[in-house]
Amino acid sequence: MEKKLEVKIRLVNDRLETLKEIKDCLFIKVVNGSTQKCCCLDFSDENEKVVFSVKLTDPTQVYQMSSNNILFRSNGTDAVVKVGNHQDAVWLIETIQSILNERETKQSVFTQRTDETSAKQYFTLFSYLSQQQTMLQDSARTDAYRNALLQNLPDFQDKVVIDVGAGSGILSLFAVQAGAKRVYAVEASNMALHCQTLVERNKLTDKIIIKNGKIEEVDIPEKVDVIVSEPMGYMLVHERMLESYMYARKWLKPEGKMFPTQALLYTAPFSDETLYMEQYTKASFWFQSDFKGVNLSPLKEAALEEYFSQPVKGPFDVSFLMAKPYGYTIDFLRDPDSSLHLINIPFRCTLYSNGTIHGLAFWFDVSFVGSQKTIWLSTGPFAPWTHWIQVRCLFKKPAVGLCGQEVSGTVVMKSNEKMTYDIDIEMKVVGTDQVCQGSYDLKNPYFRYTDLSPPKSTQANPTQEISQQST
């Protein structure tokens, strides 16, 4: 593949100091290596004499330093190539990466970790405008994101941004409102088509570039200043999009920012006799020894296991909690994405009320740490409702606790190919022989919605606020 471009080449050292300048070139020839995964570039002068060549074997050898400056690192020879304009720079980078990726036979990280059927169901779901509408109309969610971007303008003005899992493109549009120079909106589902429509109709095609594909499989032609995303599922980790969000750091500049920046997954023991009896009553159908002449009772234990392995997704009153919540931190900016494959959360807390401990409740808060302001988004029972609400895991055999007693245990969350997690919980009442255990399938929740009045809005971290109030 050959193209006529005017370029200037500087050979540089590790500190990017100029060692040698090469006269203007007029032709760039990009060659697909035949014997191995490689891309060869020949730069020629007006007489078609090759004045500089470089051989690349990995996409990480190519860096877009600015709009039209590209750094190539190859076998100790570093060169900065200045192309006439940004469009030509993008063409050159995408051509190189397409050759290198075309010859890459290894499956993407996403494909390796995901069952094909689960992936298809997931991306089909998010192709519907109704699903996007549910998220956009979640005012606590949408306002938190917009506030986080618009109240941290220096982090976005004239900056390059990636939006991971862009959906309708709302976060990309917010980034442009905050002053972003360029946004790469990455969306794997067919919602990318609607996203493109919104970008065009809002006259932002010069600012927002749609990349229809998975973040693990697309090419981003330059390093970015900020990554934005809404990667949280219920109980924080469901859908396993957190890993995709953290994967995108491969394009983040060393001092870059991520919005959101951190997450806190909270857990606390709760008491709710009504909820417990709901599930037990459902299972009791299988206790019958004479259902139209059929004995169903051999399936009694299997029914109990099934119903009590369902995480319960829905709101609850804060008065059901029996202790201050324990928070487990995930740092999106620094933690390796592999740390999400197996999450082990040891917890210990002191009960502040008497009662039956029916299980553990879970919710999460995320923070957007900007240079000007930190914004919190909470899904807890103390905060305004969100579409995530909360999750509770019931014990089939509850325990009894007294005010002042300690409970301790572990929550083990193991990722699986269904884009979710298998959860094992063990809890004991310290100083007694009471031990509660349970295994849960996060893919199979019981959706339970009750008529509770949503709490008032807050700018701070509501989980920490309520914890401080109960000390």
Side-chain angles (χ1 to χ4, degrees), residues 267-271 319-326 347-361 395 398-409 427-432 434 436 470-471:
T267 185
F270 74 90
S271 181
S319 63
F320 292 166
L321 297 180
M322 300 181 68
K324 292 190 295 183
Y326 173 83
F347 66 90
R348 191 179 188 94
C349 52
T350 302
L351 301 178
Y352 53 56
S353 62
N354 303 326
T356 303
I357 306 171
H358 289 108
L360 293 184
F395 297 134
V400 176
L402 302 175
C403 181
Q405 280 187 314
E406 287 190 328
V407 296
S408 65
M427 187 204 74
K428 62 182 179 180
V429 181
V430 178
T432 75
Q434 297 182 88
C436 301
S470 50
T471 54

Side-chain angles (χ1 to χ4, degrees), residues 281-405:
T281 300
K282 292 176 189 176
S284 68
F285 170 83
W286 298 94
F287 295 5
Q288 299 176 77
S289 58
D290 186 8
F291 176 75
K292 303 184 185 300
V294 177
N295 181 8
L296 302 180
S297 63
L299 299 180
K300 171 182 176 179
E301 289 302 319
L304 285 169
E305 287 293 332
E306 180 176 317
Y307 279 105
F308 282 92
S309 71
Q310 282 188 294
V312 180
K313 183 185 177 187
F316 62 86
D317 193 89
V318 67
S319 63
F320 292 166
L321 297 180
M322 300 181 68
K324 292 190 295 183
Y326 173 83
Y328 176 83
T329 301
I330 297 175
D331 189 331
F332 298 134
L333 199 55
R334 296 178 179 84
D335 290 349
D337 53 8
S338 59
S339 67
L340 298 175
H341 298 169
L342 181 65
I343 301 172
N344 192 316
I345 306 175
F347 66 90
R348 191 179 188 94
C349 52
T350 302
L351 301 178
Y352 53 56
S353 62
N354 303 326
T356 303
I357 306 171
H358 289 108
L360 293 184
F362 296 87
W363 63 93
F364 65 88
D365 297 353
V366 294
S367 64
F368 303 82
V369 182
S371 60
Q372 302 293 303
K373 192 170 184 179
T374 296
I375 300 295
W376 285 94
L377 168 61
S378 179
T379 66
F382 328 105
W385 283 5
T386 68
H387 71 286
W388 293 284
I389 318 184
Q390 297 93 42
V391 172
R392 287 182 286 174
C393 294
L394 286 161
F395 297 134
K396 187 171 66 171
K397 296 180 180 179
V400 176
L402 302 175
C403 181
Q405 280 187 314

